[in-house]
Amino acid sequence: MGMAVEDEHGAGPSTSAPQEFDDDSGSDFAPEAAAEDPAEDDAEDMPLDDVEEEHEGDAPARKRKRSAASTRENSVLDYGSASAVSRAKKTPAKATPRRSVAMIPGLAMSTSKQAAGLPSLHHRHRSIGVYKKEGKIERLVKEPSLFRAEETVLTNAWFANEVVSIRVNKSWGYNVGPGPLWELVEDRGWFKEAGTVSGTTERELRPRVHEQISLKPYELLTQEEATLYLPTDTGTTEDGALRPPPPVACFFGPYGKQVRRGLKMFDALKTSEFFPNGKAHVFNAGAPVWGLDWCPIHPDDRAYHRYTQYLAVAPFPSKSHSPMVGSRVLRPSPACIQIWSLTHSGPKDNQMDVDSESFGNTGQMRCEIVLCIDSGPAFELKWCPLPSNDPVHGQGAENGPRKLGIIGGTFGDGSLTFYTVPDPNTIPGTAERTSNEPLLVKLSEPLLRIELQETSCWCFDWANSEVVAVGCTNGTIAVYNVGKAFSQGANQPLLPTHHFTAHQSAIRSLSWVRAPVVSASGEITYDDPTVIASGGYDGVECITDIRDMRGNVINRTRDVVTAMEFSTYTGSAVTIDHENMIKAYSVSPSTLGRGHTVLEPNGPIWSLSASDYHPQLAIGVTDGSVLTTNTMRTTRRGGLVPFLEHKIYQLDYSRSVGEYRMLENFLPQETQNRPAASRQNKSVPVGTGAWPPEVGVHRVVWNDGNGLARTPLLASATASGLCRVDWLLGRWVREQLPYTGIEGMRGETAGTFDEDDESD
């Protein structure tokens, strides 16, 4: 469907030349090839800021004459088409019949067989966030250390005023590194539990929740008792006993000088063994992993945990396990959830060592707990987004077991189940274990189990600490308020607050648009979010407001929509499109539905991850690679900062010998626009399209909820069972900070700078 969409200033697409409408196109906003006429190119490449200024004060908004038979309200998307001044005297194109199509309740959108001009090849519209916080916010004072308390200071938030907003967003575009710029990271997430938009510190923005929920009973198992729950080999012994999975043989190190290492289940290694500056960790979960997420810890308790980071990993029962969409397993179905820790490698009883040496300490990975469950393997795993760990009242285990947090997931039995996870520091026998001997814990009962008749829960997402949305295999979305249900128990019936059909087949991924609800009078309320972005096996990507419970299609593609993420920094739903493209579709009212290509990997995408703290997007690809890119890069190609993609590592597999190799230290590459290159007869390297399933990167996730200093942590999980944790930081282009430093970017110092006059 073609859409002529403009922003709040009346600025429209870069070119007004009509384009042929393609009914089979996955998106109407893919960049078009550059025009052949050089003079026309100059007009198309006019800065967006200039167009906005010309029409903001002078050009009146043109109103489309509505048919007398129509009873729809005027659409906020149906503005007059704006064009550059250099085209004002050109003869307008012949008008074509138009029709009004309902896209969102109360709004109408006009379409025709000819769409209005699309953005030029070298033009991207500036991202506009949905949640615009004013006032103050925390920022880092110096480069963060993984196992040391961050030093912060209050500064102007990203929307404190127009000058700060422009400078901060433009400064993010100068990042040419794989991770976030520590000078600019800030928490742009919104949760109603904060109670106000004037909060400044992390304790105010992300308060502790579910303090009244106590840890459920559990029991410790022996190795023999837990064998049924752990990942196993595809075969059995002669007497029918289960065998542990074989070690994963993988080559590590620089290309041409790699060393073969065999990793058994629960083994881990550091890449610093092979690279002088290596800061990554690789560990073996024992089987393909679909569920992966970081556990948020309240800032008051991080020092007690020695700033240890906890990662939940959910492997399949074996390498040969293949889930079927919509099929359920009968309970009890043994499976496990592994709780890994990234902890300081120094002695636990030497706090001075932690403070003095933690700056360069990369830590060590260790499997702390294996949670034995009967719900079947997890398809998706997510902690409560706000800290739900019990407060620390003492320095030892004499206070009794405490919960580390509340974790939820969709499991093989078709349910959405929540568990309370015990804190490993409060379980007896923790200190006597070796690094590859985790505690084996059998959870007696879940905190809450949700099941729907005639369908299975396939994916879900938290809106906040109380509301969740679950996507089902029959194309429906169910919304539950689990806050009160947690205290009532798992056996109490729980009805959804909303239940509606959004897709014609199973829903593969969904994400809440975490933004405050605005009343009709324009005031911000503290209600739960109401907008959900979802993608399914029908190739449809839609945005749904649960107050209307009717999906609004933003794109159609000829593939399964495997990932859907909401980016708070760009205010867009990031998802996939045909030909392995990743696109961001704006959900901001001023640019609703407008999309642009972010990246084009060499293979289909398995997973996407966007952070509340920075605009770096992480991508897990079926060809075994993990990529990152800056979603707030400059709005124009050919400028000072190129459009870069960073390959963190790539996993290869040899079918003949059954061995892997992990390659890393790749140089950044400039992103390719494959459709435009093909139209210009340019050759663009592409992948073979035939990758072994063992190398697919099933899940990537940034570390949100553990403070500004831990945001560079990126975890990824593969089909081989190998998982990896990377420490990624950004880098300023030419090693120069714009606006003379972070103080100038944040408006902490008065004055004007040369960058204020530069256009994107």
Side-chain angles (χ1 to χ4, degrees):
M1 175 178 295
M3 294 192 293
V5 186
E6 303 170 4
D7 59 21
E8 68 270 30
H9 300 299
S14 308
T15 172
S16 59
Q19 306 292 335
E20 289 299 324
F21 185 86
D22 185 5
D23 290 329
D24 296 329
S25 174
S27 171
D28 293 319
F29 304 102
E32 293 294 322
E36 296 180 359
D37 186 5
E40 190 172 342
D41 282 346
D42 295 338
E44 287 180 347
D45 290 343
M46 287 187 63
L48 180 63
D49 296 340
D50 296 341
V51 180
E52 292 175 350
E53 291 174 2
E54 292 166 0
H55 292 273
E56 181 176 8
D58 301 331
R62 292 183 293 177
K63 298 182 180 179
R64 181 175 61 87
K65 186 176 181 180
R66 193 172 51 179
S67 173
S70 174
T71 58
R72 299 187 185 276
E73 299 177 3
N74 289 329
S75 170
V76 297
L77 304 180
D78 192 21
Y79 298 142
S81 177
S83 59
V85 176
S86 60
R87 298 191 171 203
K89 298 181 179 181
K90 290 191 176 182
T91 304
K94 184 178 179 180
T96 56
R98 307 176 71 89
R99 55 191 175 93
S100 180
V101 178
M103 290 290 291
I104 296 178
L107 306 180
M109 180 168 294
S110 58
T111 64
S112 69
K113 281 297 180 180
Q114 283 188 338
L118 306 181
S120 127
L121 167 66
H122 306 288
H123 188 101
R124 293 174 61 255
H125 290 274
R126 185 177 294 111
S127 302
I128 302 175
V130 179
Y131 173 41
K132 301 175 181 179
K133 176 178 170 50
E134 302 176 350
K136 300 292 183 178
I137 197 73
E138 286 183 321
R139 69 168 177 86
L140 292 172
V141 176
K142 60 182 181 179
E143 183 175 344
S145 174
L146 182 56
F147 303 108
R148 189 165 55 185
E150 61 263 32
E151 297 184 25
T152 61
V153 66
L154 291 182
T155 185
N156 293 319
W158 67 93
F159 206 71
N161 55 65
E162 185 178 359
V163 173
V164 172
S165 178
I166 294 175
R167 288 181 181 179
V168 171
N169 290 343
K170 186 180 292 186
S171 297
W172 273 114
Y174 292 101
N175 183 15
V176 294
L181 297 166
W182 65 264
E183 296 93 341
L184 284 176
V185 292
E186 59 183 334
D187 187 3
R188 294 195 181 185
W190 177 84
F191 296 94
K192 72 167 188 177
E193 289 82 354
T196 176
V197 295
S198 60
T200 57
T201 65
E202 184 182 4
R203 292 175 178 83
E204 297 172 330
L205 299 176
R206 295 176 181 259
R208 194 193 306 270
V209 296
H210 299 308
E211 294 187 61
Q212 75 282 1
I213 305 300
S214 58
L215 181 65
K216 292 292 183 180
Y218 64 88
E219 60 176 324
L220 296 178
L221 302 181
T222 63
Q223 183 67 35
E224 295 181 357
E225 294 172 334
T227 301
L228 193 62
Y229 298 90
L230 299 177
T232 60
D233 195 3
T234 54
T236 59
T237 61
E238 295 180 355
D239 55 358
L242 297 174
R243 293 186 302 185
V248 176
C250 186
F251 288 84
F252 299 92
Y255 181 77
K257 300 179 181 179
Q258 291 193 308
V259 180
R260 185 182 186 274
R261 294 287 295 272
L263 293 179
K264 299 179 181 179
M265 184 170 58
F266 304 133
D267 281 353
L269 60 81
K270 303 178 182 179
T271 59
S272 58
E273 300 179 21
F274 315 102
F275 298 95
N277 298 322
K279 297 182 179 180
H281 301 263
V282 180
F283 59 92
N284 183 12
V289 175
W290 273 25
L292 189 74
D293 198 21
W294 294 96
C295 175
I297 301 295
H298 194 269
D300 293 341
D301 305 325
R302 292 171 189 163
Y304 169 78
H305 290 280
R306 303 172 78 243
Y307 300 98
T308 298
Q309 305 303 301
Y310 294 97
L311 182 68
V313 181
F316 280 172
S318 67
K319 181 180 178 181
S320 61
H321 181 80
S322 180
M324 296 293 293
V325 179
S327 64
R328 299 188 184 187
V329 297
L330 298 178
R331 286 194 298 269
S333 179
C336 72
I337 300 174
Q338 303 171 6
I339 307 298
W340 287 75
S341 67
L342 175 57
T343 184
H344 193 278
S345 57
K348 291 187 176 182
D349 56 350
N350 192 345
Q351 186 64 33
M352 292 296 294
D353 177 77
V354 174
D355 295 335
S356 60
E357 299 182 6
S358 60
F359 186 82
N361 195 308
T362 59
Q364 61 182 1
M365 293 296 301
R366 176 180 178 178
C367 185
E368 300 285 353
I369 303 176
V370 175
L371 302 176
C372 301
I373 59 177
D374 294 321
S375 302
F379 302 140
E380 188 156 24
L381 209 61
K382 292 183 179 181
W383 294 90
C384 176
L386 296 178
S388 56
N389 61 295
D390 289 335
V392 177
H393 300 294
Q395 296 297 321
E398 61 274 9
N399 295 327
R402 297 188 295 267
K403 74 175 187 295
L404 183 67
I406 297 176
I407 194 169
T410 54
F411 294 89
D413 62 352
S415 68
L416 172 63
T417 307
F418 301 88
Y419 295 96
T420 53
V421 179
D423 187 340
N425 295 318
T426 62
I427 299 178
T430 303
E432 292 78 12
R433 297 179 295 110
T434 60
S435 59
N436 59 351
E437 292 183 359
L439 291 172
L440 306 174
V441 176
K442 176 66 170 65
L443 299 179
S444 60
E445 61 179 7
L447 178 62
L448 178 65
R449 176 177 284 127
I450 297 175
E451 294 181 287
L452 294 170
Q453 294 181 355
E454 300 180 355
T455 187
S456 299
C457 301
W458 194 241
C459 59
F460 88 107
D461 191 28
W462 298 80
N464 44 50
S465 65
E466 297 180 348
V467 177
V468 298
V470 55
C472 304
T473 55
N474 64 350
T476 62
I477 295 177
V479 179
Y480 291 90
N481 191 320
V482 298
K484 296 181 180 179
F486 283 163
S487 58
Q488 295 176 355
N491 298 325
Q492 297 294 328
L494 178 64
L495 297 177
T497 59
H498 303 79
H499 193 198
F500 55 92
T501 299
H503 295 264
Q504 296 179 354
S505 59
I507 298 176
R508 183 63 179 87
S509 181
L510 58 79
S511 178
W512 283 95
V513 176
R514 291 183 185 148
V517 179
V518 180
S519 65
S521 60
E523 298 180 356
I524 294 179
T525 65
Y526 300 103
D527 299 329
D528 297 312
T530 62
V531 179
I532 300 174
S534 60
Y537 283 82
D538 55 358
V540 173
E541 298 155 355
C542 64
I543 296 178
T544 306
D545 192 327
I546 61 176
R547 293 171 296 185
D548 181 74
M549 296 192 298
R550 189 171 55 182
N552 307 284
V553 178
I554 58 175
N555 185 38
R556 293 180 185 269
T557 181
R558 302 183 187 95
D559 203 350
V560 177
V561 182
T562 54
M564 178 70 70
E565 276 284 299
F566 172 68
S567 171
T568 58
Y569 269 73
T570 62
S572 58
V574 186
T575 183
I576 71 166
D577 200 359
H578 61 281
E579 298 182 358
N580 305 329
M581 288 189 292
I582 301 174
K583 289 191 175 182
Y585 295 92
S586 175
V587 298
S588 176
S590 59
T591 56
L592 184 64
R594 176 178 291 157
H596 66 265
T597 301
V598 177
L599 194 65
E600 299 180 37
N602 289 330
I605 292 88
W606 257 107
S607 176
L608 299 172
S609 179
S611 175
D612 288 341
Y613 293 84
H614 56 81
Q616 295 296 113
L617 180 70
I619 306 105
V621 193
T622 54
D623 65 355
S625 62
V626 171
L627 309 174
T628 63
T629 189
N630 183 10
T631 57
M632 293 191 70
R633 58 203 181 194
T634 176
T635 60
R636 192 176 308 281
R637 288 183 182 267
L640 174 66
V641 185
F643 291 7
L644 295 179
E645 62 181 75
H646 303 268
K647 182 178 292 187
I648 309 305
Y649 71 88
Q650 181 156 9
L651 190 65
D652 288 341
Y653 179 69
S654 173
R655 294 184 177 94
S656 59
V657 296
E659 295 179 342
Y660 298 85
R661 71 171 180 176
M662 186 172 287
L663 302 174
E664 51 189 296
N665 281 359
F666 291 91
L667 292 175
Q669 299 291 327
E670 189 168 5
T671 59
Q672 302 291 334
N673 190 306
R674 303 186 193 278
S678 62
R679 286 190 291 268
Q680 298 174 2
N681 296 324
K682 294 182 179 180
S683 60
V684 178
V686 295
T688 63
W691 301 281
E694 291 84 357
V695 303
V697 181
H698 288 168
R699 191 73 64 179
V700 291
V701 58
W702 289 104
N703 187 0
D704 279 358
N706 285 293
L708 302 177
R710 262 64 63 177
T711 56
L713 284 174
L714 174 66
S716 55
T718 70
S720 66
L722 295 179
C723 304
R724 176 164 165 148
V725 173
D726 287 273
W727 174 265
L728 306 175
L729 284 174
R731 184 171 63 88
W732 295 99
V733 62
R734 298 180 181 177
E735 304 295 341
Q736 296 179 355
L737 275 69
Y739 304 101
T740 69
I742 184 60
E743 294 81 4
M745 303 178 209
R746 292 288 183 179
E748 298 174 9
T749 57
T752 59
F753 304 90
D754 295 337
E755 291 86 352
D756 289 328
D757 299 328
E758 295 178 1
S759 172
D760 290 341

